[in-house]
Amino acid sequence: MFVMELTYTAPIEAVEDELDAHIAWLDGYYASGVFLASGRKVPREGGIILAAGVSRAEVERIASEDPFVLAGVCAYRITEFIATKTSPELAGVRENLAV
């Protein structure tokens, strides 16, 4: 599983200009089952996306396609982790540690 943390690198007005395209991009990855949750950071200096079911290379490619990245208004920090415990609703993305 991945935590995709984005940080705005431009004024919020420039981010707002790309928001509709960013939401459409999010919707596509929700529809494919890759994105599990997302939202704004507080204070509003970026956002967080939880993603699963893809490789590190794939999640990096996905991030590079974000309209925010293409417009130069954010940068991503991607952290991979092994989700060994989840809520029952996320049992499908639960992972096992290699022994």
Side-chain angles (χ1 to χ4, degrees), residues 2-3 11-12 15 19 23 26 28 32 35 45-47 54 57 59-61 66 78 85 88 90 94 97:
F2 297 92
V3 176
I12 197 66
V15 172
L19 191 56
I23 291 170
L26 286 170
S32 72
F35 289 172
E45 57 191 26
V54 292
V59 84
E60 289 175 358
R61 183 193 62 74
D66 183 344
I78 298 171
K85 190 160 183 70
L90 292 177
R94 199 173 297 149
L97 290 173

Side-chain angles (χ1 to χ4, degrees), residues 13-23 66-68 71 73:
E13 296 79 19
V15 172
E16 289 286 343
D17 288 344
E18 303 301 324
L19 191 56
D20 289 342
H22 174 75
I23 291 170
D66 183 344
F68 282 172
V73 301

Side-chain angles (χ1 to χ4, degrees), residues 5-95:
E5 179 181 9
L6 60 108
T7 301
Y8 299 145
T9 58
I12 197 66
E13 296 79 19
V15 172
E16 289 286 343
D17 288 344
E18 303 301 324
L19 191 56
D20 289 342
H22 174 75
I23 291 170
W25 170 83
L26 286 170
D27 288 345
Y29 285 104
Y30 273 109
S32 72
V34 173
F35 289 172
L36 305 176
S38 61
R40 295 176 179 173
K41 290 194 265 183
V42 177
R44 189 174 178 197
E45 57 191 26
I48 300 288
I49 301 167
L50 295 182
V54 292
S55 68
R56 173 87 187 199
E58 183 71 3
V59 84
E60 289 175 358
R61 183 193 62 74
I62 290 167
S64 75
E65 295 174 346
D66 183 344
F68 282 172
V69 170
L70 297 175
V73 301
C74 89
Y76 272 90
R77 177 175 173 238
I78 298 171
T79 303
E80 185 173 5
F81 74 102
I82 300 169
T84 56
K85 190 160 183 70
T86 66
S87 69
E89 294 81 10
L90 292 177
V93 297
R94 199 173 297 149
E95 302 169 276

